[in-house]
Amino acid sequence: MDDRIHEHADVLVDWSARIESGDDVVVSVSEGAHDLAVAVAEKIGDRGANLVTTYGSSEMNRAYLNAHDGEFDDDPGHELALFENADVVLSLGGGRNTAAQTDVSGEVRGAYSKAHEQTREAYMDTDWVSTVHPTRSLAQQAGMSYEAYQEFVYDAVLRDWESLATEMSEMKDILDAGSEVRIRSEDTDLTMSIEGRTAVNSTASVADDSHNLPSGEVFTAPHATAGEVRFDVPMTIRGTRVEDVWLEFDDGAVIDYDAARNPEVIGELLDTDEGARRLGELGIGMNRGIDRPTDNILFDEKMAETVHLALGRAYDACLPDDETGNDSAIHTDLITDVSDDSSLAIDGEIVQRDGHFRWEDGFER
Amino acid sequence: MDDRIHEHADVLVDWSARIESGDDVVVSVSEGAHDLAVAVAEKIGDRGANLVTTYGSSEMNRAYLNAHDGEFDDDPGHELALFENADVVLSLGGGRNTAAQTDVSGEVRGAYSKAHEQTREAYMDTDWVSTVHPTRSLAQQAGMSYEAYQEFVYDAVLRDWESLATEMSEMKDILDAGSEVRIRSEDTDLTMSIEGRTAVNSTASVADDSHNLPSGEVFTAPHATAGEVRFDVPMTIRGTRVEDVWLEFDDGAVIDYDAARNPEVIGELLDTDEGARRLGELGIGMNRGIDRPTDNILFDEKMAETVHLALGRAYDACLPDDETGNDSAIHTDLITDVSDDSSLAIDGEIVQRDGHFRWEDGFER
């Protein structure tokens, strides 16, 4: 087995999930993630933790959902009991076809999701971590060869996480102390308030309440957004490719929008509910192992020299106890490249210019 | 997808497990059983039952067990809760390497098994059914091409189960009414008592407390065995091939043994405990879809024109309420061909001669 698979398992079990002897662990294995699952099982055995393995098959899900009449039982007892009694859930993504469930109706998916609310809460109450094993299907989605995609994934995952966590905590301190953020780039001049909000240092470790591997972003919940922004990193939203999305904000809400490709997807998104027109997240990508978009939000939003904004729901962790923040059924990230002719300023002071943070070599004052 | 896979799923879900709307079902998917799992998921969705899918990977098990220090926690809470809350468990066998766990020590396996006693009981309390999806690995174990092995498996599984159940109930009635069984064949003349014992009609349906698909045998728990028997169907016991095992019984216990190949395996088996020298089962194979041994006990013991005897533990279902029957840590089946120059008699009356039952064409009085 490729050494990098064992190293990935090491990071996942020790740095991310902090698995200890006696922990009751669920490992969810996608159709293409077998090799990583074997390496993870070895680590879990070595740590003296207890293992139940579930199979996360898109093709089984599709077959089940399409055959069902859509009236799902609420939170089936065996599934709920499994997650209520688990300490850790490791979700090993990596399928064989990213389009495997495209012919399941949104209505059925929604009904299934709604019927499993308690189960999802039980899952979220564990020390869960999501990661992906590089598969040919994900390489294809990224438009890359399999070999090159493997290198890409391991560059993103096998970081010096302690050192990156320290660097990101500096960014968090700046955001926590700040009141106003201004982002400038081509077709972009946006201001937003972060007054009273708390940034999350997303270190890919449950110790920091960070549940994705890779991670490498610092994010907070902005409000009172004003100005315009162009998202020049292309992405797939609800199965449709969108490019060069442009939004104009006033008093915290989107007042105009456009896109070079499939603008109607953005229109539908904005019409979801009241909160869909407001921002739930400002995130700053800081993982220098991620050097290009691969049409996979797990990676794209952490890409170094990018900033992302999410329409919709805000994370509780960013909000004061007495505030609910922006509420919405959606949370859709949109990403903009800030590597060139760009700046990120907090309270008038430039923190990042042309992709370089002020504590990095190459930063020009 | 091959139509036979859908038919297999139909038999499994409807005839064997009798799955109904609202049932909480666990489907355990072996490494090579994906296609059957998809067909089963579709059926379960159609029935309106609730699905949790586990991954039964020999390679993960091996990695976990070999890395563990061997001091396993008793019945981990998440796993126990899953099975305690399940109505049905469908185990879809079919791996990619039947030797995948040969380098796990027996001691570690034993310790793991011992630590999961309650979990196993919870599993056995469900309407569980074991079946296998034909894989290249199982074809290889059987010494057959993949195409031929698929035909073999579907011939065994896709029977007219209702009609076979009726035929087998005739055999059960004869055994229930009988007192003494005598089996004669080459190197074989064995008598045993079945007085007071109840035969099980193994119809591959939980409705008859029968949990294997395919099935197709009638079995009971004999005692007071005397005489000699040659088992001419070769098999693999504890990873070692044995051939032409010969046993001599007196007063219910083995007093001498031999084998043409690896007799020491039989010696070790007999030395396991007191009950290992006595019989726990007499089974009569009645599945005419199984026409050859394939070194897989799930199939071999149901082969038409064979009889099998198990050393070790007897099944409770065969015993009167006040009897415990033979007790042992082992239950090892040994199979003899009765297709030629053979007879099976109950209380002196021939029920099967040269492979033909007395209600079948070709039976010679």
Side-chain angles (χ1 to χ4, degrees):
Chain A
M1 194 187 283
D2 190 327
D3 276 350
R4 297 173 299 181
I5 302 176
H6 285 290
E7 290 167 32
H8 188 171
D10 287 350
V11 172
L12 180 64
V13 168
D14 291 337
W15 171 264
S16 295
R18 313 275 161 134
I19 289 174
E20 292 177 1
S21 177
D23 281 350
D24 285 350
V25 182
V26 175
V27 175
S28 167
V29 184
S30 291
E31 287 169 27
H34 175 80
D35 286 355
L36 177 58
V38 172
V40 166
E42 184 180 327
K43 286 293 289 185
I44 291 172
D46 183 67
R47 289 293 170 276
N50 305 313
L51 177 60
V52 167
T53 309
T54 61
Y55 186 48
S57 162
S58 302
E59 292 188 352
M60 284 185 74
N61 291 347
R62 173 195 172 276
Y64 177 80
L65 292 172
N66 278 348
H68 203 285
D69 67 9
E71 295 191 11
F72 297 99
D73 291 339
D74 283 336
D75 297 298
H78 60 335
E79 189 176 15
L80 184 60
L82 174 65
F83 291 113
E84 281 183 340
N85 287 280
D87 300 306
V88 176
V89 182
L90 304 181
S91 177
L92 314 184
R96 297 187 291 203
N97 175 6
T98 59
Q101 294 189 74
T102 43
D103 56 0
V104 179
S105 84
E107 204 183 332
V108 168
R109 284 183 213 224
Y112 183 86
S113 175
K114 209 174 157 153
H116 287 74
E117 215 164 291
Q118 259 188 278
T119 311
R120 200 163 44 251
E121 273 172 33
Y123 176 105
M124 301 290 281
D125 279 346
T126 69
D127 282 340
W128 63 275
V129 182
S130 277
T131 193
V132 299
H133 183 63
T135 62
R136 287 171 177 83
S137 154
L138 291 172
Q140 176 177 322
Q141 175 94 352
M144 291 169 74
S145 72
Y146 183 43
E147 286 294 320
Y149 186 69
Q150 286 174 303
E151 280 198 30
F152 167 80
V153 168
Y154 295 119
D155 276 353
V157 165
L158 305 179
R159 308 304 300 168
D160 178 346
W161 286 104
E162 255 183 281
S163 149
L164 181 53
T166 305
E167 184 187 346
M168 292 194 298
S169 76
E170 191 156 343
M171 188 70 232
K172 170 182 157 56
D173 290 345
I174 293 168
L175 289 170
D176 286 351
S179 301
E180 193 195 67
V181 175
R182 184 172 184 186
I183 303 168
R184 297 176 75 168
S185 191
E186 201 188 342
D187 296 338
T188 296
D189 189 350
L190 199 71
T191 58
M192 59 199 96
S193 170
I194 53 167
E195 180 79 47
R197 302 296 168 92
T198 306
V200 170
N201 181 1
S202 194
T203 63
S205 170
V206 296
D208 293 309
D209 209 18
S210 174
H211 299 273
N212 291 163
L213 176 68
S215 195
E217 60 164 324
V218 177
F219 64 88
T220 188
H223 54 105
T225 311
E228 60 170 345
V229 55
R230 169 83 65 193
F231 300 98
D232 51 4
V233 174
M235 48 189 304
T236 300
I237 297 177
R238 296 180 177 179
T240 305
R241 188 82 169 171
V242 295
E243 285 177 19
D244 275 329
V245 175
W246 173 85
L247 300 177
E248 186 175 3
F249 287 84
D250 186 43
D251 199 16
V254 174
I255 54 168
D256 199 5
Y257 71 92
D258 197 7
R261 193 166 163 195
N262 296 313
E264 71 283 0
V265 174
I266 303 301
E268 282 168 27
L269 212 59
L270 293 169
D271 286 344
T272 309
D273 49 33
E274 184 66 26
R277 305 185 84 84
R278 295 173 178 275
L279 292 182
E281 180 187 348
L282 156 67
I284 296 162
M286 295 182 65
N287 186 332
R288 290 208 174 270
I290 304 174
D291 59 355
R292 73 188 89 182
T294 56
D295 202 10
N296 182 342
I297 193 64
L298 178 66
F299 292 85
D300 291 359
E301 65 172 5
K302 284 95 178 187
M303 184 167 35
E305 310 194 0
T306 68
V307 165
H308 58 277
L309 299 169
L311 291 167
R313 188 172 50 82
Y315 290 109
D316 287 346
C318 301
L319 305 165
D321 283 344
D322 59 343
E323 264 188 67
T324 54
N326 193 40
D327 189 30
S328 173
I330 68 162
H331 179 98
T332 303
D333 293 288
L334 294 160
I335 305 166
T336 193
D337 185 308
V338 293
S339 65
D340 192 39
D341 201 11
S342 306
S343 66
L344 172 75
I346 316 279
D347 297 332
E349 197 175 336
I350 305 279
V351 175
Q352 185 183 35
R353 193 198 313 273
D354 300 345
H356 300 286
F357 290 103
R358 68 181 187 211
W359 54 84
E360 288 182 312
D361 289 346
F363 178 78
E364 288 173 26
R365 292 197 179 263
Chain B
M1 193 186 283
D2 191 326
D3 276 349
R4 297 174 298 181
I5 301 176
H6 285 289
E7 291 167 33
H8 188 171
D10 287 349
V11 173
L12 180 65
V13 168
D14 291 337
W15 171 264
S16 295
R18 313 276 161 131
I19 289 173
E20 292 176 1
S21 177
D23 281 350
D24 285 350
V25 182
V26 175
V27 175
S28 166
V29 184
S30 293
E31 287 170 27
H34 175 79
D35 286 355
L36 177 58
V38 172
V40 166
E42 184 179 327
K43 286 292 291 184
I44 291 173
D46 183 67
R47 290 292 170 274
N50 305 312
L51 177 61
V52 167
T53 308
T54 61
Y55 186 47
S57 162
S58 302
E59 291 187 353
M60 285 185 73
N61 291 347
R62 173 193 172 277
Y64 178 79
L65 292 173
N66 278 349
H68 202 284
D69 66 10
E71 293 191 12
F72 298 99
D73 291 340
D74 283 335
D75 297 298
H78 61 335
E79 189 176 15
L80 184 60
L82 174 65
F83 290 112
E84 281 183 340
N85 287 279
D87 300 307
V88 177
V89 183
L90 303 181
S91 176
L92 314 184
R96 298 187 292 203
N97 175 5
T98 58
Q101 294 190 73
T102 43
D103 56 0
V104 179
S105 84
E107 203 182 335
V108 168
R109 283 183 213 224
Y112 183 85
S113 175
K114 207 173 159 155
H116 287 74
E117 214 163 293
Q118 259 188 277
T119 312
R120 200 162 45 251
E121 272 172 33
Y123 177 106
M124 301 290 281
D125 279 348
T126 69
D127 282 340
W128 62 275
V129 181
S130 277
T131 192
V132 299
H133 184 62
T135 61
R136 287 171 178 82
S137 154
L138 291 173
Q140 176 177 324
Q141 175 94 353
M144 291 168 76
S145 72
Y146 183 43
E147 287 295 320
Y149 186 68
Q150 286 174 303
E151 280 199 33
F152 167 80
V153 168
Y154 295 120
D155 276 351
V157 164
L158 305 179
R159 308 305 300 169
D160 178 346
W161 285 104
E162 257 184 278
S163 147
L164 181 53
T166 305
E167 186 188 345
M168 291 194 298
S169 76
E170 191 157 344
M171 188 71 232
K172 170 181 157 58
D173 291 345
I174 292 168
L175 289 170
D176 286 351
S179 302
E180 193 196 65
V181 175
R182 183 171 183 185
I183 303 169
R184 296 175 75 167
S185 191
E186 200 189 342
D187 295 340
T188 297
D189 190 349
L190 198 71
T191 58
M192 59 199 97
S193 170
I194 53 168
E195 181 78 47
R197 302 297 168 90
T198 305
V200 171
N201 181 0
S202 193
T203 63
S205 171
V206 297
D208 293 309
D209 209 19
S210 173
H211 300 273
N212 291 164
L213 177 67
S215 193
E217 62 163 323
V218 178
F219 64 86
T220 189
H223 54 105
T225 311
E228 61 169 347
V229 54
R230 168 84 64 194
F231 300 98
D232 50 4
V233 174
M235 48 189 305
T236 301
I237 296 177
R238 298 179 175 179
T240 306
R241 189 80 169 171
V242 294
E243 284 177 20
D244 276 329
V245 175
W246 172 85
L247 300 178
E248 187 177 359
F249 287 86
D250 186 42
D251 199 18
V254 173
I255 55 168
D256 199 6
Y257 72 93
D258 197 8
R261 194 168 161 195
N262 295 314
E264 71 284 359
V265 174
I266 303 301
E268 283 167 26
L269 213 59
L270 293 169
D271 286 344
T272 309
D273 49 34
E274 184 65 24
R277 304 186 84 84
R278 295 174 179 274
L279 292 183
E281 181 187 347
L282 157 68
I284 297 163
M286 294 181 67
N287 186 332
R288 289 208 174 270
I290 305 174
D291 60 355
R292 73 188 89 184
T294 56
D295 202 9
N296 182 341
I297 194 64
L298 179 67
F299 292 84
D300 291 358
E301 66 172 5
K302 284 94 176 187
M303 182 166 36
E305 311 195 358
T306 67
V307 164
H308 57 278
L309 299 170
L311 290 168
R313 187 173 49 82
Y315 290 110
D316 288 344
C318 301
L319 304 166
D321 283 344
D322 58 343
E323 264 186 68
T324 55
N326 193 40
D327 189 30
S328 173
I330 70 161
H331 179 98
T332 303
D333 293 288
L334 296 160
I335 305 167
T336 193
D337 186 308
V338 293
S339 65
D340 192 40
D341 201 12
S342 305
S343 67
L344 172 74
I346 317 279
D347 297 332
E349 198 174 334
I350 305 281
V351 175
Q352 185 183 36
R353 193 197 314 273
D354 300 346
H356 300 286
F357 290 103
R358 67 182 188 210
W359 55 83
E360 289 182 312
D361 290 344
F363 178 77
E364 287 173 29
R365 290 198 179 261

